[in-house]
Amino acid sequence: MPPYLPPDAHRPLTLRDVSDASGVSEMTVSRVLRNRADVSPATREKVLAAAKALGYVPNKIAGALASQRVNLVGVVIPSLANMVFPEVLSGISDGLEASGLQPVFGATDYKPEREENVIYEMLSWRPSGMIVAGLEHTDPARAMLSNSGIPIVEIMDIDGEPIDSMVGISHRRAGREMAQTILAAGYRRIGFLGTKMPDDHRARKRLQGVTEALAEAGTALAATEHYAGGSSMGKGREMTAAILERVPDLDFLYYSNDMIGAGGLLFCLDQGLDVPGQIGLAGFNGLELLDGLRMRLATTDACRREIGQRAAQIVAGISDDGVIGAKRIELSPRVEIGDTIRG
Amino acid sequence: MPPYLPPDAHRPLTLRDVSDASGVSEMTVSRVLRNRADVSPATREKVLAAAKALGYVPNKIAGALASQRVNLVGVVIPSLANMVFPEVLSGISDGLEASGLQPVFGATDYKPEREENVIYEMLSWRPSGMIVAGLEHTDPARAMLSNSGIPIVEIMDIDGEPIDSMVGISHRRAGREMAQTILAAGYRRIGFLGTKMPDDHRARKRLQGVTEALAEAGTALAATEHYAGGSSMGKGREMTAAILERVPDLDFLYYSNDMIGAGGLLFCLDQGLDVPGQIGLAGFNGLELLDGLRMRLATTDACRREIGQRAAQIVAGISDDGVIGAKRIELSPRVEIGDTIRG
DNA sequence: CTGAAAGCGCTAACAA
DNA sequence: TTGTTAGCGCTTTCAG
């Protein structure tokens, strides 16, 4: 008969409570609840019944401290508002599925100091691995990650040196390839429109790629338009109006993402411009969300979901190539011509 | 005498290491690192220098176990892909800002059993509070939350009984009010288009509100169109084509969200339909992302960011009304006529 | 198959 | 202002 317990409104239950209720030692209760095989069916039944009846929820904090194992993977991304990252996250969830690891997300708002802080906070929970967007971090952030002794995967971008592993695409190459596609289609007066430049390193690298490819072809961007703040179709409209006002003879607009590109496309169509004859357009990301537009915007697919999956697999120690250790995986984005570049 | 420890490449550092390196007791090191006031400046300096030099990252697992306090708030939402939730999350981050609490997110994919599991996992980390989307949960999930002894805030919806607190809008009322607006504008043959019905309780309640309001006016929906899967403009196009094919004389289309509504709007415009004369359109959510469309889609603003902020404040124990304890906060969504309902 | 003892790394409470 | 002691709730290890 269990000892009398004062009705304590909200003390969380412990293994001890389940032990008392089932008449089995704490240790054996622990074994049952961790699904270990070396427990007799009868005992198992008794324990599970007691645990369920009490509504016991294990304390993972204590478990983690005792076992020195934490089934969490920290995931650090710039922003959830960006449309791009939710898909990466869902790829990560997928890739982690079978591993028993749980992702924990943190956002940095594209601010290096915030990133440093988020990384610090996450590492202090001793996760089993970390997935971090981008290759650019503060020195302390790099040091913390590097010293943590856990798998670190930097994602999205591969133009740089990783701390440990990296999975992503070359944004420079994406920029180059789009520029080459644009030139091959015969466009000559090219404008670039982007948001949040200073700390959006990937957009910066795409711009760099474009610039290089144009230089190699003996030309250069005819105009650029930058804007701070989030991306929306409305923003794309405004920027497009502004750049065409400043430089009316542009025949191509390359946007740093599909959302503002879609706004630009709608603007051009509303203005009665001939797309893609008179003016061509391209974005970046391959957002499916937008395929209801009258024309399919040319874009580069950023392989977001696959990046998440592969990164998760690395953290989980699942390698499809059989190689263990730091990995560098470059995915190859496809340029999609859509309907806004003339064939 | 401590046992011999081989130079272990990646043993995480402990307070003990900082204590040794600085010649100060573990306890005092702990005080310094927690920014407690009762430490002499000289000691503080020494400790901070040692901690930084070593690259010490505290172990929150041990800290949480010892102090019985965890600065985490669990946030459970259906999906990150839904555009709606990122904004709620950012509201939560805002509202938690000054409290020292950190949000931890989990997604359920609109599946009750997954929700139950996510809640269980989160509670096992003993968070300081939980914010959960919706009022519909499995019985075990309700029981776990209810027994957890921490603040529970259910958000987005207030049509039902909360476990503890709730912050949201009445989706039934939103449906009613939109229906009334539609009728007042003179539309009579109304179609409803929605995705993911069975477990999207909020969309279901809006539909219920519409149905009720129409019944009170002596009429009913002329058609409904349901579709499983994610929302995109392309999906909105397809559904609109389908419903107009089936029931060509509809004069109003009410969509369960702005994304499919935007697709429907583009479809109608492409078809050369007179919007809002011949056919009116409305969505739901108030997505800013979309304001670059040629016409502003009529919608109901769901107060997503404010819901997140208020929920976070409740969990953090910050009440702007001075009342402590379970709260019920109903926000009042505004119907926005836009350009797709005739004035 | 089950139990007892020791301790994970930190902090509350108290003592000096 | 600083140090000492005793756990937090669980799991590891080892003994029965």
Side-chain angles (χ1 to χ4, degrees):
Chain A
M1 186 197 206
Y4 173 71
L5 284 177
D8 182 340
H10 279 308
R11 179 180 57 82
L13 299 168
T14 69
L15 268 190
R16 175 64 191 273
D17 295 305
V18 181
S19 169
D20 288 352
S22 62
V24 175
S25 78
E26 279 186 53
M27 198 49 236
T28 300
V29 171
S30 168
R31 288 193 179 97
V32 171
L33 296 176
R34 279 178 295 144
N35 265 316
R36 295 199 33 164
D38 49 359
V39 182
S40 77
T43 316
R44 178 180 301 277
E45 289 298 301
K46 245 192 312 192
V47 170
L48 288 177
K52 169 169 271 182
L54 294 173
Y56 172 72
V57 177
N59 185 331
K60 289 217 183 193
I61 296 177
L65 184 60
S67 68
Q68 307 280 59
R69 275 182 285 101
V70 179
N71 67 334
L72 299 177
V73 173
V75 179
V76 182
I77 56 177
S79 161
L80 284 167
N82 198 332
M83 306 286 308
V84 177
F85 298 106
E87 202 160 342
V88 177
L89 300 187
S90 107
I92 291 174
S93 299
D94 269 19
L96 249 29
E97 190 88 311
S99 69
L101 294 171
Q102 290 248 336
V104 175
F105 309 122
T108 68
D109 285 322
Y110 292 94
K111 297 181 189 136
E113 334 79 59
R114 277 193 61 103
E115 184 188 70
E116 185 177 315
N117 195 249
V118 169
I119 289 172
Y120 181 80
E121 290 288 324
M122 283 192 168
L123 285 178
S124 72
W125 286 100
R126 300 286 186 267
S128 293
M130 291 279 285
I131 296 175
V132 186
L135 294 163
E136 283 76 20
H137 317 289
T138 65
D139 283 342
R142 287 184 70 89
M144 285 188 284
L145 291 170
S146 186
N147 294 331
S148 65
I150 58 177
I152 308 293
V153 186
E154 289 163 280
I155 58 171
M156 314 295 289
D157 185 8
I158 57 138
D159 293 321
E161 274 305 306
I163 295 168
D164 181 18
S165 298
M166 67 182 173
V167 182
I169 66 171
S170 165
H171 288 258
R172 250 178 85 193
R173 208 179 102 197
R176 296 177 72 92
E177 289 180 359
M178 184 57 85
Q180 285 156 0
T181 304
I182 293 167
L183 290 173
Y187 298 101
R188 287 297 174 268
R189 299 281 296 162
I190 303 166
F192 183 92
L193 300 89
T195 55
K196 282 208 206 95
M197 284 292 119
D199 282 306
D200 187 341
H201 299 284
R202 292 178 285 286
R204 199 198 68 224
K205 288 171 182 175
R206 290 196 295 278
L207 175 53
Q208 185 188 345
V210 171
T211 308
E212 286 172 10
L214 292 182
E216 285 164 17
T219 176
L221 283 172
T224 62
E225 180 81 17
H226 289 176
Y227 201 98
S231 302
S232 70
M233 297 207 291
K235 192 71 64 71
R237 254 181 204 282
E238 292 169 24
M239 294 173 72
T240 306
I243 199 171
L244 288 178
E245 170 96 14
R246 278 199 295 117
V247 189
D249 69 336
L250 294 176
D251 65 2
F252 201 95
L253 302 175
Y254 184 24
Y255 295 85
S256 80
N257 67 63
D258 285 349
M259 206 70 207
I260 58 173
L265 172 57
L266 291 173
F267 175 83
C268 289
L269 294 176
D270 285 357
Q271 296 291 305
L273 299 179
D274 164 23
V275 179
Q278 185 180 353
I279 191 164
L281 302 166
F284 180 84
N285 268 332
L287 286 190
E288 289 183 7
L289 219 60
L290 295 173
D291 37 54
L293 295 178
R294 206 182 325 162
M295 306 182 100
R296 284 172 304 129
L297 181 67
T299 190
T300 306
D301 178 62
C303 310
R304 312 185 290 291
R305 165 168 278 273
E306 187 179 358
I307 286 174
Q309 285 176 334
R310 303 288 289 266
Q313 289 167 355
I314 292 176
V315 164
I318 305 160
S319 58
D320 27 26
D321 59 5
V323 179
I324 295 180
K327 300 212 188 336
R328 300 175 176 214
I329 299 180
E330 173 172 4
L331 302 178
S332 294
R334 300 177 303 283
V335 170
E336 293 163 11
I337 298 295
D339 305 314
T340 61
I341 295 182
R342 59 184 171 235
Chain B
M1 188 201 208
Y4 172 69
L5 285 175
D8 182 341
H10 277 307
R11 177 181 58 84
L13 298 167
T14 69
L15 269 190
R16 175 65 190 273
D17 295 305
V18 181
S19 170
D20 288 352
S22 62
V24 176
S25 79
E26 280 186 53
M27 197 53 231
T28 298
V29 171
S30 168
R31 289 191 177 99
V32 171
L33 295 177
R34 280 178 296 145
N35 265 316
R36 296 199 33 162
D38 50 358
V39 182
S40 77
T43 316
R44 178 180 302 277
E45 290 298 303
K46 245 191 312 190
V47 170
L48 288 177
K52 169 169 270 181
L54 294 173
Y56 172 73
V57 176
N59 185 332
K60 289 217 182 191
I61 296 178
L65 184 61
S67 67
Q68 307 280 55
R69 274 182 289 100
V70 178
N71 68 335
L72 299 177
V73 174
V75 180
V76 182
I77 56 177
S79 161
L80 284 167
N82 199 331
M83 304 288 308
V84 176
F85 297 105
E87 202 160 341
V88 177
L89 301 187
S90 107
I92 290 175
S93 299
D94 269 20
L96 250 29
E97 189 90 310
S99 68
L101 294 172
Q102 291 247 334
V104 176
F105 309 122
T108 69
D109 285 322
Y110 292 95
K111 297 182 189 135
E113 333 78 59
R114 277 193 62 104
E115 184 188 69
E116 186 177 314
N117 195 248
V118 169
I119 288 172
Y120 180 80
E121 290 289 324
M122 283 193 169
L123 285 177
S124 72
W125 287 101
R126 300 285 187 267
S128 294
M130 290 280 284
I131 297 175
V132 187
L135 293 163
E136 283 76 19
H137 317 290
T138 65
D139 284 341
R142 286 185 70 89
M144 285 188 285
L145 290 170
S146 187
N147 294 331
S148 66
I150 58 176
I152 308 294
V153 186
E154 289 162 280
I155 58 171
M156 314 295 289
D157 185 8
I158 57 139
D159 294 320
E161 274 305 306
I163 294 168
D164 180 19
S165 298
M166 66 180 172
V167 182
I169 66 171
S170 166
H171 287 259
R172 249 178 85 194
R173 207 179 102 199
R176 297 177 72 91
E177 289 179 1
M178 185 55 87
Q180 286 156 1
T181 303
I182 293 167
L183 290 173
Y187 298 100
R188 288 297 175 269
R189 299 280 297 161
I190 303 166
F192 183 91
L193 301 89
T195 57
K196 283 209 208 97
M197 285 292 120
D199 282 305
D200 188 342
H201 299 283
R202 293 178 285 285
R204 198 197 68 224
K205 288 170 182 175
R206 291 196 295 279
L207 175 53
Q208 186 188 345
V210 171
T211 308
E212 286 171 9
L214 292 182
E216 286 163 17
T219 178
L221 283 173
T224 61
E225 180 81 16
H226 289 176
Y227 201 98
S231 302
S232 70
M233 297 207 291
K235 193 70 64 72
R237 253 180 206 281
E238 292 168 24
M239 294 174 72
T240 306
I243 199 171
L244 288 177
E245 170 97 15
R246 279 199 295 118
V247 190
D249 68 335
L250 294 176
D251 65 0
F252 201 94
L253 301 175
Y254 184 23
Y255 295 84
S256 79
N257 68 63
D258 285 349
M259 206 70 207
I260 59 173
L265 173 56
L266 292 173
F267 175 82
C268 290
L269 294 175
D270 284 357
Q271 295 291 305
L273 299 179
D274 165 23
V275 178
Q278 184 180 353
I279 192 164
L281 301 167
F284 180 84
N285 269 333
L287 287 190
E288 289 182 9
L289 219 61
L290 295 173
D291 37 52
L293 296 177
R294 208 184 322 163
M295 307 183 99
R296 284 173 304 129
L297 181 67
T299 191
T300 306
D301 178 62
C303 310
R304 313 184 291 290
R305 165 170 279 274
E306 187 180 359
I307 286 173
Q309 285 175 334
R310 304 288 289 266
Q313 288 166 355
I314 291 175
V315 165
I318 304 161
S319 58
D320 27 24
D321 58 6
V323 180
I324 294 180
K327 302 214 188 332
R328 297 174 177 216
I329 298 180
E330 173 171 3
L331 302 178
S332 294
R334 300 177 305 283
V335 170
E336 293 164 10
I337 298 295
D339 304 314
T340 61
I341 296 183
R342 57 185 172 236

